Amino acid sequence: MSQTIQKTLRDSAAMRWTALLLLAMAMFCSYIFMDILSPIKDLMQETRGWDSTAFGTMQGSEVFLNVFAFFLIFAGIILDKMGVRFTAVLSAAVMLVGAFIKWYAISENFIGSGLENWFNNNLNYIPLFDELGVSPFYQGMPASAKFAACGFMIFGCGCEMAGITVSRGIVKWFKGREMAMAMGSEMALARLGVATCMIFSPYFAHLGGEISVSRSVAFGVVLMCIALIMTIVYFVMDMKLDAQTGEAEEKDDPFKISDLGQILTSSGFWLVALLCVLYYSAIFPFQKYATNMLQCNLTLEAPAPDSFWASSSMTIVQYVISLFVAATGFASNFMKRNTYKYGLLGASVVALIVYCYMGYRSQSAGSIFAVFPLLAVLITPILGKYVDHKGKAASMLVLGSLLLIGCHLTFAFVLPMFKDSTVGGVVIAYITILVLGSSFSLVPASLWPSVPKLVDAKIIGSAYALIFWIQNIGLWLFPMLYGKMLDATNPAGTAPTELDHTIPLVMFAGLGVAALLLGLVLKAVDKKKGLGLEEPNIKEA
């Protein structure tokens, strides 16, 4: 009599990686919208009157409610109580609402409206928040920036909720399997959103020869609609998985404050959380200013308007090449035969060189910085696979901190030395951006898969929420500090493309130094307490 072995969806590699792809595509879209204004900071100043302080305050507002209204803590509780699929759809819907509000604030329809008048006359003083110096608004802040900040706050609630939900979803589908590789792959694919944003935000803003910053934001809103669709498809897949396994999405045990106490008393958790806030604070806020930093430190001359390098066709071709770089580099990780593996890897490297050449010829700072995630897409799965089979997660965090320090110091002191060299400056910029992108890859491949080793499975959602909440403090603070530093260290009236970014970049390097010290402490604590951070996720038989 034959014995039938019933398999679930997650036992199928194709199905669990499809679930991952759906989550990653939703995050891909959110990453685009998150930085949709970053490549056009100069245009925001020229067309909407946003100086660096207004720009930085608006950008930091994304995480204001998460930090000061503790929304992320509630999001973690919702995730633990309602499950992955419900929270995934909810987060996408919230992001879409916030994105639409931000689009309207940037649009021409807002100018001269009664709503603009209201924002001009209100929210200039927020009791207590103003006294503490943490208000998301201030006297003299443009009305469009205030209203955009309101929308960005709502978007940020959904975006960070999506972040913890995706992490929890990967744990659900990949625990005991290639979890670190899955988390690294998800972040690698999602970060292609950075390249997409840097290439297409300026493209849509200049489309048709007439500058319109609202077109760029509208592009992001359309993508958030797509993100909602992706989460709905994931909802169906996840529901079918639970029907097969008999697992319940809702927890029978009520949430207890003591659950948070269990997390907060873990020294390993605190070290990982602090590492996260230091590391991400030196990356995400930097992305918001990176294009402008390059504009200020490189000698860029726009190509002839009638040339291929200034055409919309060049933008499309360059983006297709960037996708080819990412796809071939990513696929090489899954090839069993060396012929295919190294063939795809070689094709990826050649395409990357072609992409860099096109970025140089287009003389676009956005296109140059768009290379940031491409190397990450290639090496993040490699690093994740290494952590799965060999371990050394804490050591990777230390290495990532060292690379982070070197990159920001290079941007601060070395890149300005090559401003008069049109080729040398771009080469230095490309190399540093690629190294920074590879440094960024070390975190999702090593840090996030370490969290399940530190807390019980039933409160993983709350643990991720706490880490994201702590991280959000930095993501709120440092964009605002960067903008204020730019205005404070540059004479009034300095052109948007002539600003000196040295001091803010040194600040980011300082965050890297602090992360390095914490990484070394984490290694010592792991060795002493046996947290298992240096051990592989997949135990060899």
Side-chain angles (χ1 to χ4, degrees):
M1 184 175 178
S2 62
Q3 204 172 23
T4 303
I5 300 176
Q6 185 173 0
K7 291 188 175 182
T8 65
L9 285 178
R10 67 178 160 215
D11 291 321
S12 165
M15 288 296 100
R16 64 176 179 267
W17 282 94
T18 298
L20 177 76
L21 181 62
L22 292 170
L23 294 174
M25 287 301 296
M27 292 305 295
F28 168 84
C29 295
S30 71
Y31 267 52
I32 294 174
F33 193 86
M34 187 188 305
D35 283 318
I36 199 70
L37 294 182
S38 300
I40 54 174
K41 176 183 180 293
D42 57 325
L43 297 181
M44 296 308 299
Q45 182 167 342
E46 293 171 3
T47 64
R48 297 296 184 270
W50 294 14
D51 60 12
S52 293
T53 299
F55 184 82
T57 303
M58 192 286 302
Q59 293 284 38
S61 69
E62 178 195 356
V63 295
F64 183 83
L65 293 178
N66 290 323
V67 174
F68 295 102
F70 303 101
F71 181 81
L72 255 177
I73 307 300
F74 296 118
I77 296 172
I78 292 171
L79 176 57
D80 282 335
K81 294 297 296 177
M82 302 302 295
V84 174
R85 59 176 176 264
F86 172 86
T87 314
V89 175
L90 176 64
S91 63
V94 171
M95 284 193 288
L96 180 58
V97 171
F100 183 82
I101 293 173
K102 185 174 178 179
W103 166 78
Y104 183 73
I106 303 299
S107 71
E108 286 74 12
N109 294 329
F110 180 75
I111 300 174
S113 67
L115 201 55
E116 182 187 36
N117 185 59
W118 189 91
F119 274 93
N120 272 324
N121 297 323
N122 294 277
L123 299 181
N124 294 313
Y125 171 73
I126 311 295
L128 184 61
F129 285 97
D130 271 85
E131 280 73 16
L132 294 175
V134 298
S135 176
F137 315 108
Y138 60 86
Q139 180 74 41
M141 186 176 181
S144 58
K146 287 182 187 175
F147 193 34
C150 293
F152 213 24
M153 288 179 198
I154 297 171
F155 171 84
C157 290
C159 187
E160 297 303 316
M161 183 193 293
I164 60 173
T165 303
V166 167
S167 297
R168 178 66 176 269
I170 293 173
V171 170
K172 178 176 182 177
W173 282 78
F174 285 87
K175 190 169 185 179
R177 297 176 175 87
E178 56 278 87
M179 187 166 64
M181 187 176 185
M183 286 191 172
S185 299
E186 180 271 324
M187 286 306 298
L189 292 173
R191 282 180 190 145
L192 280 176
V194 178
T196 305
C197 170
M198 296 299 166
I199 292 174
F200 280 103
S201 181
Y203 169 76
F204 283 109
H206 292 91
L207 191 64
E210 180 183 348
I211 293 177
S212 173
V213 292
S214 64
R215 278 198 299 259
S216 297
V217 186
F219 166 64
V221 172
V222 171
L223 291 174
M224 294 319 305
C225 294
I226 295 173
L228 179 59
I229 295 171
M230 292 293 178
T231 58
I232 292 172
V233 176
Y234 173 83
F235 184 101
V236 175
M237 281 190 67
D238 196 76
M239 187 165 58
K240 186 173 181 180
L241 173 65
D242 282 354
Q244 291 176 332
T245 62
E247 296 174 359
E249 273 285 282
E250 296 187 31
K251 301 290 183 293
D252 295 325
D253 297 333
F255 175 81
K256 307 182 188 68
I257 295 297
S258 59
D259 290 340
L260 293 182
Q262 178 186 341
I263 299 170
L264 296 176
T265 53
S266 168
S267 60
F269 168 83
W270 275 110
L271 287 170
V272 167
L274 291 174
L275 262 170
C276 179
V277 68
L278 290 169
Y279 199 91
Y280 276 90
S281 293
I283 294 288
F284 285 123
F286 171 70
Q287 285 180 190
K288 300 180 186 301
Y289 292 91
T291 299
N292 184 244
M293 183 275 295
L294 293 174
Q295 289 172 335
C296 296
N297 287 304
L298 297 175
T299 300
L300 300 173
E301 298 180 1
D306 58 347
S307 70
F308 168 75
W309 306 109
S311 68
S312 57
S313 299
M314 197 287 301
T315 303
I316 302 299
V317 171
Q318 188 182 25
Y319 185 62
V320 170
I321 291 174
S322 74
L323 293 180
F324 181 81
V325 172
T328 51
F330 185 76
S332 68
N333 290 283
F334 300 90
M335 296 295 107
K336 300 296 184 182
R337 295 179 59 178
N338 286 338
T339 304
Y340 295 149
K341 180 176 183 177
Y342 293 113
L344 286 172
L345 189 59
S348 181
V349 171
V350 171
L352 178 61
I353 294 171
V354 173
Y355 172 89
C356 290
Y357 175 74
M358 294 185 73
Y360 164 71
R361 289 300 304 267
S362 68
Q363 293 286 283
S364 165
S367 292
I368 292 172
F369 187 72
V371 79
F372 174 69
L374 296 185
L375 191 59
V377 174
L378 168 62
I379 70 172
T380 302
I382 297 175
L383 296 172
K385 187 175 183 179
Y386 185 86
V387 172
D388 281 330
H389 294 278
K390 303 295 182 181
K392 304 298 181 183
S395 298
M396 286 192 176
L397 293 173
V398 171
L399 176 59
S401 300
L402 285 169
L403 295 175
L404 183 70
I405 296 167
C407 288
H408 282 307
L409 290 179
T410 300
F411 285 132
F413 299 108
V414 178
L415 187 60
M417 296 169 57
F418 288 83
K419 184 165 185 175
D420 294 333
S421 173
T422 54
V423 177
V426 172
V427 170
I428 294 293
Y430 270 134
I431 294 173
T432 311
I433 292 167
L434 286 169
V435 173
L436 186 65
S438 64
S439 165
F440 197 17
S441 304
L442 293 164
V443 175
S446 55
L447 187 148
W448 298 121
S450 299
V451 177
K453 297 179 180 180
L454 302 174
V455 300
D456 288 343
K458 73 170 187 174
I459 52 173
I460 286 177
S462 297
Y464 278 126
L466 274 173
I467 291 179
F468 273 62
W469 178 73
I470 296 168
Q471 169 191 315
N472 273 220
I473 295 174
L475 300 187
W476 157 76
L477 177 63
F478 287 100
M480 184 171 58
L481 281 181
Y482 199 119
K484 289 184 176 181
M485 284 183 178
L486 279 181
D487 282 338
T489 57
N490 289 274
T494 302
T497 55
E498 296 294 333
L499 298 170
D500 183 354
H501 287 251
T502 303
I503 300 301
L505 290 170
V506 171
M507 173 184 70
F508 285 155
L511 293 177
V513 172
L516 172 62
L517 295 175
L518 273 181
L520 294 173
V521 172
L522 180 63
K523 283 195 68 174
V525 171
D526 176 61
K527 185 175 181 180
K528 181 179 180 180
K529 295 190 175 183
L531 299 176
L533 300 183
E534 293 283 85
E535 296 177 3
N537 294 322
I538 299 175
K539 305 295 184 182
E540 303 294 342

